[in-house]
Amino acid sequence: MKYIFVTGGVVSSLGKGLTAAALGTLLEHRGLKVALQKFDPYLNVDPGTMSPYQHGEVYVLDDGAETDLDLGHYERFTHTKLTRLNNLTSGQVYQTVLNNEREGKYLGKTVQVIPHVTDEIQNRIYLVGDITKADVLITEIGGTTGDIEGLPFLEAIREFAQDVGPHNAIFVHVTYVPFIKAAGELKTKPTQQSVAKLREIGIAPHIIACRCEYPLEREVRQKIALFCNVPYEAVIEAKDVDHSIYEMPLMLQRERLDELVCRQLHLDVPQADMRNWQEIIRKLIAPAHRVRIAVVGKYIELQDAYKSVYEAIIHGGIANDCGIQIEKVDAEQIERDGAERVLKGVGGILVPGGFGERGIEGKIAAARYARENKVPYLGLCLGMQIATIEFGRHVLGLNGAHSTEFQTNTPHPVIDLQDDQRSVRMMGGTMRLGAQPCQLVMGTKTQRLYNAFVVSERHRHRYEFNNSYRTQFEAAGFVFAGTTPDGRLVECIELKEHPFFCAVQFHPEFQSKPNAPHPLFRGFIAAVHEYLHRKPL
């Protein structure tokens, strides 16, 4: 088995995860089985209780693990199926080490960072390798080289690479080469300092991927190669892409990154045939149609808060050969200015998941605008609950209808806490999480889009549709298109007298890929195009 470790330097948010995912794409297209994992240095056990302002989106896996958003990139770019073992935090490591100490597993020894913490990190690498049986395991180390909390992880992978021997493990260092406008040139000193810091720790990178806004000229590459002690060809340009993150595999292929990796790891595999990926980029750059979608959310100013939602919308556009213009609408703006003024002219409205009361009335107003004006609507998790509250208030006349999450004394709790959540006191990892089966009703729009009767989708919620109101809603044209197999929990709803008004309790965005768009997003964009152009695709 071969191992690739991706580290980062100079600044955070460089795109280490995208680099790892894009490399995984290239290696898969060379016929290799690829697995990926992420090590995060923070002390939280997982990001499940972290604010989106701190961490961005929480990405949920089939097994219910709440993980880093980079794991979403891994699943979107490759065929790998991830589990909770693919995301390791310092919190998990120290929790395990301290539990082992309490249980006497260290036989009375003094517990130290080396070897106990570093051994636990290495055990996770071996474990993922054993389970996945992959040809290549790509491990991304979160944070920035030089951060004190990341040192145990760097020491662990240094030891690991030494253990598995040369040609079995390589280091790819992603760094930043800034352009100084006043000087009119790219500066290599931050990269030199970052690599020097890495070498102090005992890691000499084999490849340096240089994030930059302008092309790396020959002299710049030569300088980085000389001072960072790598061959000239191992200095890779990773310039900002022009249109989409999905251009990255093709860009890195042009830089011969996959060829370099295979040569250094002694992998004799054919060239990557990227024609299918090239067609995806063609549809992104020169689509046959264009549509405008409003995403009405609470953390709208944060690009990463709804990362998977934005990507799934783009995938739906690829499926319909549609370019997507996403209008990021703050729900509080609708509360201030009104839905008509803010949403007029958009082709579709999407309300994503979220927590907390802020902006709720704006989201309800957006759902009402979509229902009354026949604008295509897609609700995800909270977006389904919002649609339920709106219908209860303005169609059924249930004044004050609400969710008990936001108003405990509402006269009409159309959304209520799940029974098995009432005794929960711990916040982390206690929601209804992960893949759950959903039974679809024959003949509904949702069932026709899936072209299946039972599907598996990922969940992350505590509240649900209150079944006490089921008969009342159904009689007014509120269609229950999907439930749990036992019929107890409502999973999908749609409106009978509406061209496309669908909402689901789960998160379909977590299972969408550019080369396999999710059926609900594909159908949503098709409905938006039909609404805007008054003709089917």
Side-chain angles (χ1 to χ4, degrees):
M1 191 168 182
K2 307 294 184 178
Y3 303 90
I4 301 171
F5 297 102
V6 180
T7 58
V10 183
V11 293
S12 60
S13 301
L14 276 181
K16 297 187 300 295
L18 281 170
T19 302
L23 177 56
T25 304
L26 292 172
L27 296 179
E28 275 196 347
H29 280 76
R30 282 177 170 260
L32 295 166
K33 183 179 180 183
V34 176
L36 296 102
Q37 65 179 349
K38 172 79 181 285
F39 290 166
D40 277 308
Y42 52 73
L43 281 172
N44 303 66
V45 174
D46 60 44
T49 57
M50 293 170 71
S51 164
Y53 289 109
Q54 289 281 313
H55 189 265
E57 169 188 82
V58 173
Y59 187 81
V60 179
L61 304 178
D62 273 356
D63 65 359
E66 296 174 290
T67 67
D68 183 82
L69 60 83
D70 277 318
L71 274 75
H73 293 314
Y74 302 164
E75 287 200 332
R76 282 188 285 272
F77 276 75
T78 69
H79 292 94
T80 187
K81 266 294 187 187
L82 304 176
T83 71
R84 63 182 66 252
L85 296 177
N86 295 81
N87 194 188
L88 181 69
T89 69
S90 290
Q92 293 174 27
V93 173
Y94 287 112
Q95 191 175 59
T96 301
V97 168
L98 292 175
N99 287 342
N100 288 344
E101 186 271 333
R102 292 288 83 185
E103 293 170 14
K105 290 184 178 180
Y106 299 129
L107 304 177
K109 293 179 181 177
T110 302
V111 180
Q112 297 175 291
V113 173
I114 302 172
H116 301 102
V117 170
T118 52
D119 281 355
E120 188 60 36
I121 294 168
Q122 292 179 61
N123 288 342
R124 179 61 66 90
I125 302 173
Y126 283 119
L127 182 59
V128 170
D130 289 342
I131 290 173
T132 60
K133 307 297 182 187
D135 300 309
V136 179
L137 174 60
I138 303 174
T139 303
E140 176 194 351
I141 313 301
T144 306
T145 299
D147 292 347
I148 192 168
E149 61 264 29
L151 291 175
F153 289 96
L154 294 175
E155 171 60 21
I157 63 174
R158 183 197 67 78
E159 294 174 11
F160 186 93
Q162 191 174 29
D163 288 344
V164 299
H167 309 305
N168 288 322
I170 63 171
F171 297 97
V172 178
H173 190 56
V174 182
T175 183
Y176 182 52
V177 182
F179 180 81
I180 306 301
K181 191 173 181 180
E185 61 180 345
L186 292 166
K187 291 293 185 180
T188 66
K189 189 63 71 176
T191 295
Q192 295 176 42
Q193 295 291 338
S194 175
V195 172
K197 196 73 181 172
L198 201 58
R199 291 169 70 182
E200 283 178 19
I201 298 165
I203 295 173
H206 299 82
I207 299 168
I208 299 175
C210 301
R211 294 283 290 109
C212 50
E213 299 173 54
Y214 295 90
L216 289 183
E217 302 294 343
R218 182 175 181 83
E219 287 185 6
V220 175
R221 293 194 195 222
Q222 287 175 332
K223 196 172 184 180
I224 293 172
L226 176 64
F227 288 103
C228 297
N229 199 32
V230 297
Y232 174 84
E233 64 177 0
V235 179
I236 300 296
E237 177 186 288
K239 193 169 79 70
D240 292 353
V241 292
D242 296 324
H243 299 93
S244 166
I245 58 173
Y246 301 114
E247 295 175 69
M248 279 198 69
L250 300 179
M251 179 184 69
L252 295 178
Q253 186 185 43
R254 288 193 295 271
E255 290 288 305
R256 298 175 175 268
L257 174 61
D258 56 323
E259 183 180 318
L260 188 61
V261 165
C262 290
R263 190 161 68 245
Q264 293 193 354
L265 290 175
H266 289 194
L267 290 167
D268 186 14
V269 288
Q271 292 286 329
D273 183 352
M274 300 296 290
R275 282 176 294 184
N276 63 334
W277 212 263
Q278 288 166 351
E279 178 59 16
I280 289 171
I281 302 306
R282 196 279 303 164
K283 290 181 178 179
L284 288 169
I285 295 174
H289 318 282
R290 293 195 179 274
V291 297
R292 193 156 64 102
I293 306 294
V295 175
V296 181
K298 173 182 177 181
Y299 308 105
I300 217 69
E301 69 274 22
L302 300 171
Q303 173 66 23
D304 287 343
Y306 304 112
K307 185 65 178 173
S308 292
V309 173
Y310 296 148
E311 295 306 317
I313 293 171
I314 291 169
H315 302 163
I318 293 170
N320 290 282
D321 207 354
C322 273
I324 306 292
Q325 179 184 342
I326 297 176
E327 298 285 339
K328 300 173 183 178
V329 178
D330 190 328
E332 290 181 290
Q333 183 186 356
I334 296 178
E335 293 176 358
R336 292 191 302 268
D337 302 334
E340 174 74 24
R341 182 174 176 184
V342 176
L343 299 172
K344 188 174 182 179
V346 301
I349 296 169
L350 186 148
V351 177
F355 300 91
E357 189 175 1
R358 183 167 62 83
I360 289 298
E361 292 303 323
K363 295 176 185 179
I364 292 171
R368 182 178 187 179
Y369 178 86
R371 178 181 58 81
E372 292 181 344
N373 293 279
K374 302 292 193 252
V375 178
Y377 176 91
L378 181 60
L380 311 176
C381 195
L382 177 62
M384 188 194 98
Q385 298 174 5
I386 290 294
T388 301
I389 296 166
E390 190 282 320
F391 194 89
R393 287 183 187 180
H394 303 119
V395 177
L396 298 179
L398 303 175
N399 294 329
H402 221 309
S403 166
T404 54
E405 179 182 2
F406 312 121
Q407 194 176 100
T408 55
N409 60 347
T410 172
H412 294 290
V414 293
I415 301 295
D416 201 4
L417 192 64
Q418 297 174 57
D419 289 339
D420 57 4
Q421 290 287 319
R422 296 187 187 280
S423 60
V424 171
R425 293 293 176 265
M426 296 290 287
M427 295 295 290
T430 56
M431 287 184 274
R432 184 180 181 223
L433 290 165
Q436 309 279 344
C438 172
Q439 181 84 42
L440 301 175
V441 176
M442 182 183 293
T444 58
K445 287 187 185 72
T446 307
Q447 186 271 317
R448 291 198 300 271
L449 287 173
Y450 275 104
N451 193 27
F453 296 108
V454 178
V455 296
S456 177
E457 292 284 4
R458 300 177 188 179
H459 295 69
R460 186 175 185 251
H461 65 106
R462 297 185 192 277
Y463 291 79
E464 62 173 326
F465 182 90
N466 186 342
N467 286 324
S468 302
Y469 293 87
R470 205 146 154 181
T471 303
Q472 198 172 351
F473 270 75
E474 199 163 28
F478 197 81
V479 179
F480 298 99
T483 64
T484 49
D486 61 7
R488 192 171 65 87
L489 300 181
V490 173
E491 297 277 45
C492 313
I493 65 97
E494 53 189 66
L495 298 185
K496 191 175 290 184
E497 302 300 328
H498 195 289
F500 190 98
F501 194 105
C502 297
V504 294
Q505 185 57 77
F506 43 80
H507 289 270
E509 68 270 24
F510 292 149
Q511 298 202 80
S512 187
K513 300 174 185 279
N515 50 1
H518 193 281
L520 290 180
F521 286 90
R522 185 179 66 236
F524 176 54
I525 300 303
V528 170
H529 179 269
E530 185 174 352
Y531 169 77
L532 289 173
H533 298 277
R534 302 300 180 190
K535 59 180 181 180
L537 286 172

